[in-house]
Amino acid sequence: MIFTVAIDGPAAAGKGTISRAVAERFGFAHLDTGLLYRAVGAKGGDPVAAAEGLTPADLARGDLRSAAAGQAASRIAAIPAVRAALVAFQRRFARAEGGAVLDGRDIGTVICPEAEVKLYVTASDAVRAHRRWLELSAQGERVTEAEVLAQLQERDRRDSERATAPLRPAADAVLLDTSTLAVEEAVARAIAEVSARL
Ligand code: C5P
């Protein structure tokens, strides 16, 4: 069976948690596409060459979840040739036999417009900043919640305003605002959308 679940939205809206839960529930493969851009940004040097030569070892680096890696990712993600170098891999993953969940910014709009289910996951800026601050603090990063909020807003602005594959909901995406939802409730709604299409 070929079945793609596209989960897009701004930083720290809950895409990762929802994607992992949906993949586990239905036995689908999961790709966190943000990791591709983080790995390209972390490699340094020419970002286009880094994207063209990305290896599994690059994706296994331990420092990709840091705030700095997120900022570097959103800068190189605005380069059209970097995005182009990562398209084929993501499309193959999305349409591989067995079902796939991909989370990112442009999955439902550019990578897989034919996805069977498209979710656009959002939450208020304050809620997202608080969640990301908790995550970063747990990783040992010394950063204030206000700094995290400013970084998220800068990253969202860059992601939304870039010319190539900007962050925006696909016309046929289901909106899921997780500002006031418990994790279990957000996951249950996503699972219900997938179940309805299967
Ligand atoms: O999702 P995550 O925060 O890991 O993504 C890091 C950055 O990678 C984003 O801010 C965005 O600039 C970029 N990205 C993208 N397209 C995707 C996934 C991530 O441009 N599909």
Side-chain angles (χ1 to χ4, degrees), residues 4-188:
T4 309
V5 183
I7 302 188
D8 292 304
K15 302 186 299 291
T17 306
I18 292 171
S19 301
R20 280 189 297 275
V22 168
E24 189 177 335
R25 167 69 179 73
F26 296 99
F28 294 167
H30 171 225
L31 180 64
D32 168 4
T33 64
L35 217 51
L36 305 175
Y37 295 91
R38 285 171 181 260
V40 170
K43 252 184 134 172
D46 172 16
V48 178
E52 286 169 348
L54 209 60
T55 66
D58 294 327
L59 300 177
R61 291 173 60 136
D63 57 354
L64 296 182
R65 300 278 173 206
S66 70
Q71 291 295 335
S74 91
R75 285 195 199 92
I76 59 85
I79 303 170
V82 165
R83 306 197 69 84
L86 300 174
V87 165
F89 172 74
Q90 294 176 83
R91 287 206 174 132
R92 264 200 312 278
F93 192 100
R95 300 315 267 171
E97 185 57 40
V101 183
L102 289 85
D103 68 283
R105 303 291 185 287
D106 63 340
I107 308 304
T109 51
V110 173
I111 299 299
C112 197
E114 70 274 40
E116 281 73 15
V117 175
K118 296 181 189 178
L119 299 178
Y120 191 83
V121 182
T122 58
S124 70
D125 289 9
V127 165
R128 293 187 296 116
H130 184 65
R131 286 184 193 150
R132 182 51 53 92
W133 175 74
L134 287 175
E135 275 172 25
L136 292 171
S137 301
Q139 285 168 210
E141 280 206 40
R142 293 168 63 88
V143 62
T144 66
E145 204 166 318
E147 286 165 346
V148 173
L149 174 63
Q151 285 177 357
L152 279 188
Q153 288 174 330
E154 184 193 344
R155 199 140 71 86
D156 291 344
R157 192 162 44 244
R158 208 184 283 128
D159 291 347
S160 305
E161 290 177 358
R162 69 184 175 219
T164 309
L167 168 67
R168 62 175 175 79
D172 52 351
V174 173
L175 299 185
L176 185 56
D177 186 333
T178 67
S179 302
T180 60
L181 292 183
V183 172
E184 300 73 33
E185 203 177 339
V187 165

